[in-house]
Amino acid sequence: MGLFGGLFEDEKAQGNYDYKRLRRDLENEYAAQSATFSGGFGFCQMLDASSASDEELLKMAKREGINLNKYKK
């Protein structure tokens, strides 16, 4: 277990998330960032989001400051 392993496992156990919607929203966010200011970096992040595991999606969303409560089922 890594430094944040327990934190994200607890979140997954506390509630189910709509990972499909979260993935789509992250892909859209990174695409917009790519088009507006980050260029290739945003494009790479968009590709990462499309193949990320559920746990990685949670990490990405936290890094972007996304409110995960709106993705709880």
Side-chain angles (χ1 to χ4, degrees):
M1 177 180 344
L3 180 62
F4 298 108
L7 173 69
F8 294 111
E9 290 301 318
D10 290 344
E11 284 184 354
K12 286 176 83 171
Q14 287 177 1
N16 292 327
Y17 293 95
D18 185 349
Y19 290 105
K20 184 177 179 178
R21 194 173 109 212
L22 178 58
R23 183 181 313 278
R24 185 187 65 233
D25 288 353
L26 278 169
E27 289 172 343
N28 290 338
E29 172 64 23
Y30 291 137
Q33 288 180 16
S34 174
T36 57
F37 64 88
S38 69
F41 182 67
F43 182 75
C44 289
Q45 288 181 306
M46 182 182 69
L47 294 176
D48 289 344
S50 68
S51 62
S53 68
D54 292 348
E55 184 175 334
E56 289 169 331
L57 284 175
L58 292 176
K59 289 178 187 178
M60 295 169 103
K62 284 193 169 291
R63 189 172 55 233
E64 292 300 322
I66 293 174
N67 180 3
L68 292 174
N69 288 330
K70 71 180 194 175
Y71 296 96
K72 283 190 175 181
K73 289 184 177 182

